[in-house]
Amino acid sequence: MAIERTLSIIKPDAVAKNVIGQIYSRFEGAGLKVVAARMAHLSRAEAEGFYAVHKARPFFKDLVDFMISGPVMIQVLEGENAIAKNRELMGATNPKEAAAGTIRADFAESIDANAVHGSDGADTAAVEIAYFFRSSQVFAR
Ligand code: UDP
């Protein structure tokens, strides 16, 4: 299986709940390495740009408002099959439908405030990583 990188964001609700460490433990427990990380309070323009693909969706404004409501923790995860593995750890978008033991089942409140973001494919991962990190800020391990 290929070694991949994926972009992960711990969203404002999970940062406010003080569960950054618990979420990092799940990444590490699944064999994913944190190879870049920074905390940021996104500007509206940054959040709109990141979620540009959802611009036409009815939830876009609420999503952007939520993503700028507090600081987020942004990281690049590296490992075998990292993109799918992270999606598996996250669970379904709606925490009510997320499998038991997933991050969203355990830490998320609602489909809007759902604790984490993870890239959904190789192309998206490359674009999303470059959106937040220069290559010199990502550390091969
Ligand atoms: N979202 C929302 N309402 C919806 C669907 C999505 O607020 O009805 C938000 C939610 O925070 C989700 C994000 O938009 O994580 C991106 O949606 P996507 O379908 O890409 O889900 P994800 O890949 O995050 O599971």
Side-chain angles (χ1 to χ4, degrees), residues 46-102:
E46 277 177 311
E48 286 177 349
F50 182 73
Y51 278 119
V53 65
H54 293 308
K55 211 175 175 120
R57 309 281 284 275
F59 57 80
F60 180 71
K61 174 152 191 313
D62 287 345
L63 173 60
V64 169
D65 284 344
F66 166 64
M67 288 301 287
I68 67 175
S69 66
V72 295
M73 191 72 198
I74 314 167
Q75 45 283 324
V76 178
L77 305 176
E78 183 183 84
E80 271 188 16
N81 213 14
I83 297 165
K85 199 177 270 183
N86 181 43
R87 298 283 304 185
E88 216 171 285
L89 292 172
M90 288 163 57
T93 308
N94 184 348
K96 291 180 180 65
E97 291 162 11
T102 60

